[in-house]
């Protein structure tokens, strides 16, 4: 029979059970369940199989819990998101675009996504702005374009 895993007594079995049953995050719930089973003298291998996670991952969860305590169980996956994209236009440029959109486009016709994209490229000194970004700014600034005849 494999040796029982050592789990630091950061929390009692009752506290582990409460955290397992109360957490809303499925990842955290599985981790708390794993720790609860190990605290009840189950092996890591059997606990991991019951919870449905990889054995090596289960060992890592237990190692982190023993070293860092309950805070290590938190799901950190959302913390690794890339920073938000920098807007193409400054607030002043957006206001300038809002004013420009009150009249006709430079070609005398109605504004469109590609036309706004060209306007943005000229104002920002970019070689090119994708037409979708022009459409995004039309929507962001609340411009209602006239429906084209079919």
């Amino acid at each position: 029979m494999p040796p029982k895993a050592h789990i630091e007594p950061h929390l009692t079995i009752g506290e582990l059970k409460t955290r397992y049953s109360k957490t809303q995050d499925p990842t955290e719930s599985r981790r708390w369940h794993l720790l609860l089973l190990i605290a009840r003298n189950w092996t890591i291998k059997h606990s991991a199989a019951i919870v449905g996670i990889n054995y090596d991952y289960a060992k890592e969860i237990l190692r982190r819990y023993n070293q860092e305590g309950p805070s290590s169980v938190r799901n950190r996956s959302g913390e690794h998101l890339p920073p938000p994209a920098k807007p193409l236009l400054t607030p002043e440029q957006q206001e300038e675009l809002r004013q420009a959109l009150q009249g006709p486009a430079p070609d005398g016709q109605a504004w469109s996504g590609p036309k706004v994209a060209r306007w943005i490229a000229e104002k920002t000194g970019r070689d090119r702005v994708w037409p979708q970004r022009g459409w995004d700014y039309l929507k962001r600034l609340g411009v209602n374009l006239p429906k084209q005849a079919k």
Side-chain angles (χ1 to χ4, degrees), residues 71-136:
S71 64
S72 69
V73 179
R74 184 171 48 88
N75 186 1
R76 301 175 193 165
S77 63
E79 296 174 4
H80 303 293
L81 298 175
K86 182 180 173 195
L88 291 173
L89 299 176
T90 65
E92 295 80 21
Q93 290 170 325
Q94 282 189 46
E95 187 54 39
E96 188 178 344
L97 175 58
R98 186 185 319 275
Q99 295 302 318
L101 292 172
Q102 300 300 316
D107 65 359
Q109 302 294 317
W111 285 96
S112 66
K115 291 176 187 177
V116 173
R118 283 191 293 277
W119 186 95
I120 293 170
E122 288 175 16
K123 289 296 176 180
T124 61
R126 294 174 182 260
D127 291 334
R128 174 160 190 199
V129 173
W130 289 98
Q132 180 61 42
R133 299 293 69 89
W135 176 252
D136 292 343

Side-chain angles (χ1 to χ4, degrees), residues 33-46:
H33 191 192
L34 173 82
L35 294 169
L36 174 61
L37 294 175
I38 293 170
R40 290 180 170 164
N41 294 322
W42 289 41
T43 64
I44 297 173
K45 189 174 188 176
H46 193 206

Side-chain angles (χ1 to χ4, degrees), residues 6-8 10-11 16 19 23 25 27-35 53 57-77 79-80:
H6 169 74
I7 184 166
E8 291 290 331
H10 296 295
L11 300 172
L16 288 170
R19 294 206 182 189
T23 188
D25 185 281
T27 301
E28 286 181 30
S29 178
R30 293 172 96 180
R31 292 174 184 169
W32 286 118
H33 191 192
L34 173 82
L35 294 169
I53 60 175
Y57 180 52
K59 288 192 313 187
E60 177 63 21
I61 292 167
L62 179 62
R63 184 194 63 75
R64 276 195 322 222
Y65 178 78
N66 284 339
Q67 288 180 350
E68 302 171 28
S71 64
S72 69
V73 179
R74 184 171 48 88
N75 186 1
R76 301 175 193 165
S77 63
E79 296 174 4
H80 303 293

